[in-house]
Amino acid sequence: MAYVHVFLGHFAKDMNREIVQLIREKRQIVLDQWKGYVLSLFPSAMKSATPIAQAIEHGLGDVLDSFETTPEKRTAALSGVIRILAVQSFSPSKSMSVFFALRSILREIGGSGKRQIKQKHWDEFQTSMEQLTLEAFDSYMVHREKIYQLKVDESLRQSFMTRRGTRA
Amino acid sequence: MPKFAPKLSELKKEFEEKPGLLKGDYSDKEWWEIPVEFRDGNWCYPTKPEVLEDLKFANPRKWSPTDDDWKLPDGWEKTIKEGMKDRVERFRSFKLFLDTCVRCGACADKCHFFLGTGDPKNMPVVRAELIRSVYRNDFPLAEKILKGFSGSRKLTPEVIKEWHMYFHQCTECRRCSVFCPFGIDTAEITMMGRELLNLIGVSNNWILNPVSNCNRTGNHLGIEPHTFVQNIESLVEDIEDLTGITVEPTFNRKGAEVLFITPSGDVFADPGVYTMMGYLLLFHHIGLDYTISTYASEGGNFGFFTSNEMAKKLNAKMYHEAKRLGVKWILGGECGHMWRVVHQYMDTMNGPADFLQEPVSPITGTKFTNAASTKMVHIAEFTADLIKHGKLKLDPKRNDHLTTTFHDSCNVARGMGMFDEPRYVLNNVCNSFHEMPENTIREQTFCCGSGSGINTEEYMDIRLRGGFPRANAVRHVKETHDVDSLVTICAIDRATLPALMNYWNPGVSVYGLHELVGNALVMDGEKKRTEDLREDPMAGFEDEEGDED
């Protein structure tokens, strides 16, 4: 448990500043590529201009911005993206791959141009990304559980008067 | 360039990198060769054999969409082809819609299921192609000769599976038809597709079980008359507890002026029952001479999602009861597809109702000339007329605990063109109404994603995807105006939007229009009101210290 505690705490206080700076400088490029990856998981006709694509872009942007904010805001940002992924036709593992994709995108962008980020920064970032992915998995499960709860709630609403009569 | 239009570079990237019909595994293949995959969350339970037997429908058996063999009856291909020929000859609209499409694509991105899933077979044009491709193989002479050039295909079990999948990912909302330059109504294609599937026993229990119940008892849940009365009497007690007023509905009373028919969801389900309480308060407030039938105890008509004949049969009880009870005209409650059936079909299906009179409001004297033929008036029109004539004592502050928006129900908005009456009522019973974006309301309204009989829990994943465009518009007013209450005039909306809101917009509750009317009505002789019809506290009406009930 102690390990988990240290592990979870790491992200909140020490997201690598070099990587945060990279995201800040290249935000639109990162976002475009990341959104492109997420849309590629959908059936072929999911275009950039659809409400789903816009919501995904908005949510992914919030996740990128959350690297500089509080854990609460990051959780809310993650929820915005995962809420969409959790009801799609693709598998849970594909949904989680979204966060591995971010790491690859950042490595590619960070490895090009004048800026060369040192390996130790990537190593630190790797830990943060693992934490983000675990949080995303938690959020995914919360949303799947919520869908089952919605089914139960709906059934209860349909029999509202019957149940009330039974109680009486 | 529109703000959200994709850039050329994005389109190029999509074309080159994403899997699609023209490349990868599906290159050189036709669109219909992409296989249909049934998995949990994207199919509804098939109709139970005993339900099919009860209705004398074809091919009762146990099966599942996930089975390889759907146990189709012997000669099913002939049944489908003859069924299609029969319908092409009987329904001119069906023939026209099959023949006239030029594949312009104007409809493509108007469908909430396409927007929510990205699945190309959810483009209305492709959904219609599911049938057209078979039609072209066997019917128009020129295209029969030009097989291979005309996009035709043979009828196979895979086609049936595809039809079952995609004709139940269409809610018959008709948003696509608003944008079609030819006015092609894909809802009618879907209706025909479902009729054909029913001929060979491919159907959903969630649709046919209510049909069977309705056929037997008059309502979808199969509530017997005494239970129907008990439920309403229980609501009468609730009203008395909350307001101190005893409302006195009557049942099956001959000689009443008006027969009131509403969806049975208003009698047994949450939150519909609060809308029912609103109706009862309103009728008491104006002293309406009305009665409720325990046989015509369902405004909804799931037969409409099954076949033309079944829609006609289930609808017939409205006029039968109106005639038996000797009323002058019919008042209809808040429902969606009930009003499409009433407005567009009832008169020719089961009319003319020449034993009824042209509806006249006994309170204001207004003649509802728009209902001169059907003799049935929508309650939003009726209430709007009462308010316009100053006949209701309303205190909109009693809804100050709610910040509202309005969801136009597809069938009432697009089906019968009713846009302003509910808004007029809403603006008179609450102080905080905010419209959703222009392209998501009125005739362009987005469906709840669960209409046309797919509002079953096992289909929740698909419903949440299909309902996303509507939820997204609600999110906009939630973020910009702190909207927390989605008001609607449809029973299926009231049943399904709570789940949609709970998932996409937690904190937004769903209300019927007449529930808010019931909250705002100031009744003669009432006790001090502190709670709304849900027993939630009303802002600014809290008990002061020392107050006693």
Side-chain angles (χ1 to χ4, degrees):
Chain A
M1 283 303 291
Y3 170 77
V4 172
H5 181 72
V6 171
F7 187 66
L8 293 177
H10 180 84
F11 186 98
K13 65 183 182 190
D14 196 23
M15 174 69 180
N16 187 279
R17 286 180 189 168
E18 289 286 321
I19 310 295
V20 169
Q21 182 64 25
L22 172 70
I23 293 171
R24 197 183 296 153
E25 287 174 7
K26 308 277 187 183
R27 185 181 185 279
Q28 197 55 48
I29 297 170
V30 174
L31 185 57
D32 285 348
Q33 290 194 20
W34 201 15
K35 183 180 84 169
Y37 176 78
V38 177
L39 293 187
S40 75
L41 301 174
F42 284 77
S44 62
M46 184 57 82
K47 304 296 183 198
S48 302
T50 60
I52 287 272
Q54 289 168 32
I56 286 170
E57 181 170 2
H58 184 76
L60 295 178
D62 284 350
V63 173
L64 289 179
D65 296 340
S66 75
F67 290 140
E68 297 187 70
T69 58
T70 60
E72 291 75 24
K73 285 191 176 169
R74 188 173 66 249
T75 302
L78 271 178
S79 181
V81 176
I82 298 294
R83 185 175 289 131
I84 299 168
L85 299 179
V87 290
Q88 302 308 324
S89 56
F90 39 84
S91 63
S93 59
K94 276 200 170 181
S95 294
M96 290 301 103
S97 74
V98 166
F99 299 92
F100 297 111
L102 175 61
R103 189 181 55 193
S104 305
I105 290 165
L106 287 171
R107 289 282 320 223
E108 192 179 323
I109 293 171
S112 61
K114 291 177 187 174
R115 175 196 289 270
Q116 288 296 324
I117 295 172
K118 292 178 182 166
Q119 185 58 40
K120 69 169 188 175
H121 297 308
W122 287 119
D123 291 343
E124 287 176 16
F125 175 65
Q126 170 75 8
T127 308
S128 302
M129 283 308 299
E130 285 169 357
Q131 166 59 13
L132 184 75
T133 309
L134 288 173
E135 279 191 46
F137 179 71
D138 283 347
S139 183
Y140 188 91
M141 288 310 298
V142 164
H143 284 94
R144 287 308 307 174
E145 290 292 334
K146 182 158 191 172
I147 290 168
Y148 289 108
Q149 188 60 46
L150 292 178
K151 296 178 183 184
V152 173
D153 292 346
E154 191 166 275
S155 296
L156 292 175
R157 280 196 302 274
Q158 284 160 8
S159 57
F160 177 70
M161 292 302 283
T162 309
R163 288 182 298 109
R164 207 172 73 155
T166 307
R167 280 203 303 274
Chain B
M1 178 72 77
K3 183 181 170 189
F4 295 113
K7 299 181 183 76
L8 270 179
S9 57
E10 288 177 337
L11 291 173
K12 184 170 179 287
K13 189 167 179 292
E14 276 185 9
F15 182 78
E16 288 175 350
E17 296 178 13
K18 288 180 73 168
L21 288 169
L22 302 175
K23 52 193 185 294
D25 293 344
Y26 299 115
S27 58
D28 302 325
K29 292 189 175 177
E30 295 289 354
W31 57 266
W32 56 70
E33 290 179 281
I34 297 178
V36 175
E37 185 187 354
F38 287 94
R39 67 171 89 82
D40 286 354
N42 78 356
W43 55 277
C44 303
Y45 298 136
T47 310
K48 291 177 183 171
E50 58 268 32
V51 172
L52 289 173
E53 283 163 6
D54 182 45
L55 290 167
K56 299 186 171 46
F57 273 30
N59 201 18
R61 75 223 180 270
K62 285 192 175 176
W63 67 287
S64 166
T66 52
D67 296 342
D68 286 337
D69 179 6
W70 282 18
K71 301 176 188 166
L72 300 179
D74 290 341
W76 64 269
E77 296 97 332
K78 189 176 175 214
T79 306
I80 292 284
K81 285 177 185 174
E82 287 182 356
M84 191 182 292
K85 183 170 185 288
D86 170 51
R87 281 157 183 78
V88 164
E89 287 170 2
R90 272 199 294 146
F91 303 117
R92 182 163 164 72
S93 58
F94 185 42
K95 179 164 173 49
L96 275 174
F97 296 159
L98 288 176
D99 285 338
T100 54
C101 177
V102 293
R103 287 45 152 199
C104 72
C107 59
D109 60 351
K110 308 307 184 293
C111 172
H112 52 287
F113 273 112
F114 174 64
L115 291 174
T117 63
D119 187 335
K121 289 181 188 172
N122 272 327
M123 293 180 195
V125 56
V126 180
R127 200 187 316 280
E129 268 320 282
L130 301 178
I131 282 191
R132 277 196 199 107
S133 53
V134 175
Y135 168 74
R136 277 196 295 268
N137 198 56
D138 295 298
F139 292 99
L141 182 62
E143 292 176 353
K144 273 176 81 170
I145 295 167
L146 293 170
K147 270 179 193 169
F149 295 96
S150 60
S152 62
R153 62 170 166 173
K154 286 185 176 171
L155 186 59
T156 65
E158 293 310 309
V159 171
I160 297 299
K161 291 180 181 180
E162 198 176 48
W163 284 10
H164 186 54
M165 168 81 89
Y166 291 102
F167 290 132
H168 291 97
Q169 284 185 39
C170 168
T171 48
E172 305 179 7
C173 81
R174 305 169 79 231
R175 189 170 192 266
C176 51
S177 71
V178 172
F179 298 90
C180 174
F182 288 98
I184 293 172
D185 185 351
T186 308
E188 298 218 9
I189 304 244
T190 294
M191 287 156 71
M192 290 299 111
R194 291 190 186 186
E195 278 204 34
L196 293 172
L197 289 172
N198 268 294
L199 295 177
I200 56 172
V202 176
S203 56
N204 293 337
N205 199 61
W206 188 257
I207 295 176
L208 282 183
N209 195 45
V211 168
S212 172
N213 286 336
C214 211
N215 192 42
R216 191 178 69 254
T217 68
N219 58 69
H220 288 159
L221 202 70
I223 306 174
E224 305 284 348
H226 57 285
T227 310
F228 189 81
V229 172
Q230 274 174 5
N231 277 1
I232 294 177
E233 286 179 341
S234 175
L235 298 176
V236 168
E237 289 172 16
D238 287 355
I239 291 171
E240 190 167 356
D241 290 343
L242 280 164
T243 67
I245 300 294
T246 307
V247 299
E248 295 170 331
T250 62
F251 300 92
N252 305 321
R253 178 167 60 88
K254 290 188 176 178
E257 182 169 0
V258 173
L259 170 63
F260 179 63
I261 300 176
T262 198
S264 61
D266 290 351
V267 180
F268 63 78
D270 173 9
V273 290
Y274 306 114
T275 304
M276 186 75 192
M277 290 162 76
Y279 303 144
L280 296 174
L281 277 166
L282 174 71
F283 300 156
H284 185 87
H285 187 81
I286 59 174
L288 187 68
D289 177 16
Y290 74 104
T291 194
I292 298 170
S293 165
T294 56
Y295 168 52
S297 50
E298 178 64 72
N301 187 336
F302 271 34
F304 186 52
F305 310 137
T306 307
S307 70
N308 187 52
E309 288 71 26
M310 189 48 79
K312 175 178 177 170
K313 185 177 185 189
L314 298 187
N315 171 260
K317 64 180 180 282
M318 291 191 181
Y319 281 158
H320 285 173
E321 278 296 81
K323 192 170 189 178
R324 183 178 74 87
L325 297 172
V327 300
K328 291 181 181 170
W329 53 279
I330 308 171
L331 181 61
E334 297 178 12
C335 187
H337 68 276
M338 155 182 160
W339 279 104
R340 183 155 184 224
V341 175
V342 168
H343 186 72
Q344 298 190 339
Y345 300 96
M346 183 166 76
D347 188 28
T348 48
M349 267 181 172
N350 290 309
D354 46 12
F355 50 90
L356 294 173
Q357 298 177 13
E358 182 177 295
V360 177
S361 170
I363 316 301
T364 65
T366 298
K367 282 187 181 178
F368 292 98
T369 52
N370 57 323
S373 182
T374 61
K375 317 288 196 298
M376 185 156 173
V377 176
H378 193 291
I379 193 155
E381 286 181 294
F382 181 71
T383 305
D385 175 63
L386 291 168
I387 295 172
K388 184 80 175 172
H389 285 85
K391 300 294 183 186
L392 301 186
K393 202 169 170 187
L394 296 165
D395 182 0
K397 286 192 193 128
R398 291 183 176 186
N399 283 313
D400 276 358
H401 57 305
L402 311 175
T403 306
T404 67
T405 190
F406 182 70
H407 163 68
D408 289 273
S409 309
C410 306
N411 284 300
V412 180
R414 277 190 286 272
M416 62 187 295
M418 182 182 286
F419 308 119
D420 293 317
E421 291 85 347
R423 287 176 169 78
Y424 179 76
V425 174
L426 191 53
N427 273 313
N428 277 279
V429 299
C430 78
N431 292 316
S432 60
F433 168 55
H434 302 279
E435 287 280 18
M436 285 182 270
E438 189 182 359
N439 62 341
T440 71
I441 57 171
R442 293 179 177 257
E443 66 268 51
Q444 297 186 56
T445 186
F446 273 119
C447 178
C448 63
S450 302
S452 79
I454 62 167
N455 50 318
T456 175
E457 51 94 4
E458 71 268 19
Y459 213 44
M460 188 63 82
D461 285 30
I462 290 284
R463 289 168 49 195
L464 290 174
R465 277 181 241 165
F468 178 81
R470 166 44 76 217
N472 200 38
V474 176
R475 182 179 63 82
H476 176 76
V477 283
K478 181 175 184 256
E479 290 176 352
T480 51
H481 298 290
D482 292 326
V483 162
D484 59 13
S485 304
L486 179 59
V487 181
T488 182
I489 50 172
C490 168
I492 287 183
D493 285 334
R494 282 194 288 280
T496 65
L497 285 173
L500 192 73
M501 290 302 108
N502 201 344
Y503 189 77
W504 294 113
N505 301 308
V508 175
S509 300
V510 178
Y511 291 82
L513 179 66
H514 279 76
E515 180 181 347
L516 270 63
V517 171
N519 286 342
L521 276 174
V522 180
M523 309 289 287
D524 284 343
E526 70 178 12
K527 69 180 187 184
K528 185 184 175 191
R529 294 280 302 272
T530 59
E531 294 174 332
D532 66 11
L533 295 178
R534 296 185 185 196
E535 301 181 28
D536 289 334
M538 299 194 294
F541 292 85
E542 297 83 358
D543 266 331
E544 291 168 19
E545 273 189 47
D547 272 7
E548 291 177 9
D549 282 342

